[in-house]
Amino acid sequence: LVRMSEVFKRQGNYVAAITSYEKAIKIAPGDTDLYPEYIKLAIDAYEYVTAKKAIEKFIQLSKSVSVSQIDALYGQLYY
């Protein structure tokens, strides 16, 4: 599903790319490796509410997320 998302993104189909990531997250909700790229994709697609919720979920799930990583994600969201 992640690879499909990458293909959709290259084609400019952000809706399908986001949907693929959402399916992957639904299958493996605890897989924090999925979140950073999903968040970036949502921001690129101007889906800011989706991105903000994903950041919050990523922080909640990830025990080892650094402050600089959180700042970088929020920085992408607000710039």
Side-chain angles (χ1 to χ4, degrees):
L1 290 171
V2 172
R3 286 187 181 157
M4 286 176 50
S5 177
E6 292 168 2
V7 171
F8 288 134
K9 181 180 176 184
R10 275 188 253 127
Q11 294 173 343
N13 189 346
Y14 286 91
V15 173
I18 289 171
T19 301
S20 290
Y21 259 100
E22 289 171 344
K23 288 178 182 177
I25 289 170
K26 196 172 202 175
I27 291 168
D31 186 353
T32 57
D33 292 337
L34 296 171
Y35 283 87
E37 188 60 34
Y38 172 61
I39 292 163
K40 186 174 185 298
L41 184 60
I43 292 168
D44 290 346
Y46 305 105
E47 295 288 339
Y48 300 121
V49 173
T50 299
K52 187 173 189 297
K53 288 179 182 178
I55 291 170
E56 292 167 355
K57 185 68 172 178
F58 176 62
I59 293 168
Q60 177 186 1
L61 290 174
S62 181
K63 307 262 188 275
S64 63
V65 65
S66 68
V67 173
S68 62
Q69 191 175 16
I70 294 168
D71 288 345
L73 291 170
Y74 275 119
Q76 291 174 14
L77 180 63
Y78 292 113
Y79 285 107

